Amino acid sequence: MPMTHSPEIHAKLIERIPDVTGRGLHEWFEALDEGPGLVRCSDRSNWLADEYGLPRWYAHAIVAEHDRRRRNRSIPAPRRS
């Protein structure tokens, strides 16, 4: 069953990812880019959650943000610290 969040919840999840996971978005985006070539959002979310032990809602938010930024290249990717 697909998981969707309101824009407000999605923004809060994305904001909390570095604190909750110990990794920045750029690291999660790299993991997705280097991971298996799964096409469906749910498959990539499940893989991310299973591979890295993430809660499903955070994995879904990471995948959704990754897809959103790839669709809209005008939004800069997060910079490494």
Side-chain angles (χ1 to χ4, degrees):
M1 174 191 240
M3 189 183 313
T4 58
H5 302 115
S6 70
E8 295 82 14
I9 296 295
H10 177 78
K12 288 180 183 179
L13 287 170
I14 292 300
E15 180 181 312
R16 295 186 63 208
I17 284 171
D19 293 332
V20 171
T21 68
R23 296 181 183 203
L25 275 180
H26 69 278
E27 293 174 275
W28 291 117
F29 293 170
E30 286 175 5
L32 285 169
D33 290 339
E34 295 171 3
L38 302 170
V39 176
R40 292 178 36 202
C41 181
S42 60
D43 291 341
R44 289 184 291 136
S45 295
N46 289 336
W47 172 80
L48 200 61
D50 293 342
E51 186 73 16
Y52 294 97
L54 294 175
R56 301 270 177 210
W57 54 87
Y58 282 106
H60 174 76
I62 291 166
V63 170
E65 187 67 14
H66 182 260
D67 290 351
R68 185 181 75 84
R69 290 185 187 202
R70 289 188 79 156
R71 279 191 308 269
N72 186 357
R73 297 274 183 192
S74 66
I75 298 172
R79 297 210 179 260
R80 294 177 190 233
S81 301

